[in-house]
């Protein structure tokens, strides 16, 4: 897909094009000057090769910049719709359970069976029951704070009780009433303007309340969800780090039903609910980048077909392409800049650029050799031209290196940003889920049957059976629980929902949390066990949520414990937040964890890390503040991982104002590669400062090259040329130093390994190694020899005063070094002097039966 029209909005791409344009003009000039030189230096092929290679990183840079913005829009839109759907899934269970509440049924049965005009006493009883039920509704909303109102109506639409006293509705004509009375579904979900809620768009969950004996409908119960409040809470969190993004919730036709910026994208306006090929749209006079997504659903629930939508003005879409919201460190810098951790495509770009540069280096090196071997070779113009060509090639390659490194760094940062975001999503899902658990235990503790039954000092078998029946019904609706149990004022378990746990009946709860529960003072308080193995969960670790049960005189008479199915539920939460491909498979090697402040694992998606295991983690992660996120590169089990981390911050009043303190950290791991020694600066990347000529003092030209990380030299007059990509022909029974032969100008030339002469184990690599063809006069005869080296370097002109010949005292008869170059400054060459090789001695040494390793001279 062509995205060239977007370049004007991409600063990083523009900078790259600007740099390459400047270099292109420079190559034009050098090509012209090269054709005018006395050696006919042609750089047009080099320039063409670099320009052809330029398209690859340019296209990749454009794609990565584009994809980063689109992916950010997608992740935020997907999170917004999926978080909402998870919340609404809990609401579908709420209405189904509350519509069977005994107190609500009893009130409606009372109204049905009583003639209210009969007596003042009946009217007073009615008022008392209404006030009692209103107080119960208030208790419900205190715990489930996602609702703004509860309304109970009769079958004709008359409002019997409602929590919101400012709502003037007394009789409703909303069609949801009839649908709720006769639907075959377990609930009715309606989003529309309704007279039940001030004639404004509202999300209402409703269902009929029936006679428990005859199943005859008695009325309709409505729970009005705090829709706008919830969406703004979701939007606010998702746009905090990038305020340029606008988030919307659309219906299936594209009408905006919620907006993060109502003055910018008003509710009621229309946006495209479907993506186009370039993800661009036009709205209110501006071009936008956008992404529209459907929910992935939750446990089969997909809501009402709503669409998550995110958009950003095109001129702002790529502004933050290089901004990070976490602090990079030394390990991040090392790994992100190490070629070993580059994607293969980027490694290929660098390899091609290196190959072009090596060929240019050989051309320039050979040009200098040619000048050195030409009679009357003093030609400052040509030497300067060759130097400039070499510098321009190096500058071009540096831009490639910098661009590719920048691409990899940007990709690494994007991985970390994604993981940080996904970790915040994971912990948000956990907080929202456990918020419901804290609500559930407190609400169910208010069940009238529980309160009346436990009020008796001796609890009858009939009461136990009724309590057990209710627990089983609740547990069938709320499958996130392993079991539920009721204990009396002494802490003895009298009923349990899961028959497989019947062995605990009649036993006392031997944990401090039960005693704390029995001592609670208000219906808003609750107690949570520590996360530890428990016999109530087959000796696995979980949380048990507890609330005190009070009789109708508000005296503490027992407690309810609900055992969260932590193992499966937490793992499912983590698995849902792991990024997946189009086939819904998690990327190989990725995993996620919940841990506590000590680094102890609460949940894990990998079998390699067990619950209860303690991980060694950086202090920066273990000491994250509530709601704070971080991202780092960390080693684990022989691999480097990009890791995103977020500490829990609660949801609504849960963990924020209810007194419960239990910080959990979500971690997401994405593998980068095996831990290995990150390559340090190579010798060819170091700058060598040669001695400088003073005035008219005599000089000589040398040609330098690398072997085993050290710089060596040969007098240029002894060099014929350097050759790359040479195929060697092996010679049977040759010396171990003889790699084979090559053909050069119709003569066979032996090639030796200088590395082996230095005592190093190194195989010849025709793709990366270079062969230097040298000549020497042996017994008045010119002989040729090939030297296999790691890389050629430069061809400087050195003052004779800086060349120190070996004295006979210091060198033995087998020494292969004739002199060393003394630097002008002691710190040059990192205290290592350059050895000038003695070519006749090397040749003579090689024809001996046994060659001895050459001694490298160090300063």
């Amino acid at each position: 897909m062509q995205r060239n029209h977007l370049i004007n909005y991409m600063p990083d791409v523009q900078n790259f094009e600007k740099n390459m344009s400047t270099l292109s003009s420079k190559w034009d000039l050098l090509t012209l000057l090269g054709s005018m030189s006395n050696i006919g230096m042609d750089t047009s092929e080099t320039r063409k090769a670099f320009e052809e290679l330029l398209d690859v990183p340019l296209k990749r840079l454009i794609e990565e910049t584009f994809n980063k913005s689109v992916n950010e829009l997608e992740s935020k839109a997907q999170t917004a719709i999926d978080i909402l759907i998870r919340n609404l899934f809990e609401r579908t269970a709420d209405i189904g359970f509350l519509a069977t509440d005994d107190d609500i049924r009893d009130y409606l049965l009372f109204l049905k069976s009583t003639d209210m005009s009969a007596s003042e006493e009946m009217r007073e009883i009615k008022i008392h029951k209404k006030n009692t039920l209103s107080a119960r509704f208030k208790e419900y909303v205190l715990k489930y704070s996602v609702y703004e109102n509860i309304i109970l109506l009769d079958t004709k639409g008359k409002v019997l009780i409602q929590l919101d006293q400012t709502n003037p509705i007394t009789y409703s004509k909303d069609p949801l009433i009839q649908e709720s009375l006769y639907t075959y579904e377990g609930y009715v979900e309606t989003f529309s303007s309704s007279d039940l809620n001030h004639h404004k768009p509202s999300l209402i969950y409703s269902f009929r309340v029936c006679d428990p004996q005859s199943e005859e409908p008695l009325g309709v119960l409505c729970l009005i969800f705090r829709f706008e409040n919830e969406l703004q809470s979701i939007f606010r969190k998702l746009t905090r780090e990038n305020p340029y993004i606008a988030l919307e919730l659309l219906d299936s036709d594209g009408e905006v039903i919620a907006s993060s910026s109502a003055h910018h994208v008003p509710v009621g306006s229309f946006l495209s609910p479907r993506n186009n090929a370039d993800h661009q749209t036009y709205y209110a006079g501006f071009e936008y980048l956008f992404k529209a997504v459907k929910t992935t659903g939750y446990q089969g629930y997909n809501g009402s077909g709503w669409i998550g939508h995110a958009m950003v003005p095109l001129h702002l879409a790529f502004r933050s392409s290089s901004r990070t919201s976490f602090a990079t460190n030394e390990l991040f810098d090392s790994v992100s800049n190490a070629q070993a951790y580059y994607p293969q495509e980027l490694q290929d770009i660098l390899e091609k650029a290196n190959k072009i540069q090596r060929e240019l280096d050989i051309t320039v090196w050979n040009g200098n050799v040619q000048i050195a071997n030409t009679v009357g070779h003093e030609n400052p113009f040509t030497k300067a031209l060759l130097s400039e060509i070499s510098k321009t090639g190096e500058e071009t390659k540096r831009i490639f290196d910098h661009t590719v490194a920048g691409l990899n760094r940007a990709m690494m940062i994007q991985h970390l940003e994604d993981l940080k975001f996904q970790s915040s999503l994971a912990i948000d899902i956990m907080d929202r889920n456990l918020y419901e658990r804290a609500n559930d235990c407190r609400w169910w503790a208010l069940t009238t049957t529980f309160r009346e039954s436990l009020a008796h000092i001796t609890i009858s078998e009939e009461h136990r059976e009724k309590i057990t029946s209710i627990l089983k019904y609740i547990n069938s609706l709320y499958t996130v629980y392993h079991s539920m149990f009721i204990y009396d004022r002494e802490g003895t378990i009298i009923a349990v929902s899961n028959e497989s746990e019947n062995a605990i009946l009649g036993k006392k709860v031997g944990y401090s949390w039960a005693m704390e529960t029995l001592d609670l003072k208000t219906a808003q308080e609750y107690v949570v066990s520590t996360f530890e193995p428990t016999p109530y969960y087959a000796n696995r670790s979980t949380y048990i949520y507890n609330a005190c049960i009070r009789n109708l005189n508000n005296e503490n008479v027992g407690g309810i414990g609900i055992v969260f199915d932590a193992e499966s539920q937490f793992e499912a939460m983590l698995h849902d937040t792991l990024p997946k491909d189009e086939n819904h498979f998690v990327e190989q090697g990725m995993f996620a964890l919940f841990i506590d402040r000590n680094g102890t694992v609460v949940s894990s998606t990998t079998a390699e890390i067990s619950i209860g295991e303690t991980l060694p983690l950086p202090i920066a992660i273990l000491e994250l503040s509530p709601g704070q996120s971080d991202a780092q590169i960390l080693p684990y089990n022989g691999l480097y991982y990009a890791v995103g981390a977020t500490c829990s911050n609660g949801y609504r009043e849960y963990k924020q104002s209810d007194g419960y303190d239990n910080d959990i950290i979500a971690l997401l791991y994405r593998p980068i590669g095996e831990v290995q020694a990150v390559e340090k600066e190579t010798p060819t990347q170091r700058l060598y400062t040669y001695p400088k000529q003073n005035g008219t003092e005599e000089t000589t030209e040398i040609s330098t090259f690398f072997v085993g990380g050290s710089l060596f030299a040969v007098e240029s007059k002894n060099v014929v040329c350097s050759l790359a990509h040479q195929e060697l022909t092996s010679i049977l029974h040759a010396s171990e130093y003889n790699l084979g032969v090559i053909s050069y100008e119709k003569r066979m030339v032996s090639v030796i390994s200088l590395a082996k002469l230095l005592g190093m184990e190194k195989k010849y690599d025709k793709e990366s190694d270079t062969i230097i063809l040298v000549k020497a006069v042996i017994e008045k005869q010119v002989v040729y020899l090939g030297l296999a080296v790691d890389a050629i370097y430069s061809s400087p002109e050195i003052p004779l005063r800086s060349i120190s010949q070996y004295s006979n005292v210091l060198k033995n008869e087998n020494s292969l070094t004739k002199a060393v170059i003394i630097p002008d400054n002691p710190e040059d060459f990192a205290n290592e002097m350059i050895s000038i090789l003695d070519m006749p001695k090397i040749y003579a040494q090689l024809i001996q039966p046994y060659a001895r390793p050459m001694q490298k001279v160090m300063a």
Side-chain angles (χ1 to χ4, degrees), residues 422-474:
Q422 293 296 327
S423 71
S424 70
L425 173 59
I427 205 67
D428 191 41
I429 289 173
M430 177 193 247
D431 281 341
R432 287 167 173 268
N433 191 299
L434 298 185
Y435 156 84
E436 303 288 346
R437 313 303 54 102
N439 296 343
D440 289 347
C441 71
R442 291 179 294 167
W443 174 248
W444 295 332
L446 296 177
T447 303
T448 301
T449 299
F450 297 165
R451 300 174 72 184
E452 291 178 342
S453 298
L454 289 174
H456 297 86
I457 300 300
T458 301
I459 303 171
S460 68
E461 190 59 33
E462 181 183 354
H463 285 143
R464 292 175 190 269
E465 290 177 358
K466 194 168 184 180
I467 291 173
T468 301
S469 175
I470 293 173
L471 288 179
K472 285 183 176 180
Y473 174 66
I474 297 173

Side-chain angles (χ1 to χ4, degrees), residues 360-414:
L360 179 63
D361 289 342
I362 287 174
T363 302
V364 172
W365 204 79
N366 288 340
N368 280 307
V369 168
Q370 183 181 343
I371 294 173
N373 284 278
T374 302
V375 177
H377 64 268
E378 294 81 2
N379 191 332
F381 168 75
T382 304
K383 287 283 279 186
L385 176 61
L386 288 172
S387 176
E388 194 59 36
I389 289 173
S390 180
K391 290 177 183 177
T392 304
E394 290 169 2
E395 185 179 354
T396 304
K397 184 178 173 300
R398 272 197 303 274
I399 289 179
F400 273 98
D401 289 348
H402 176 76
T403 301
V404 169
L407 271 171
N408 189 65
R409 183 182 177 88
M411 292 165 65
M412 198 81 75
I413 287 174
Q414 187 58 46

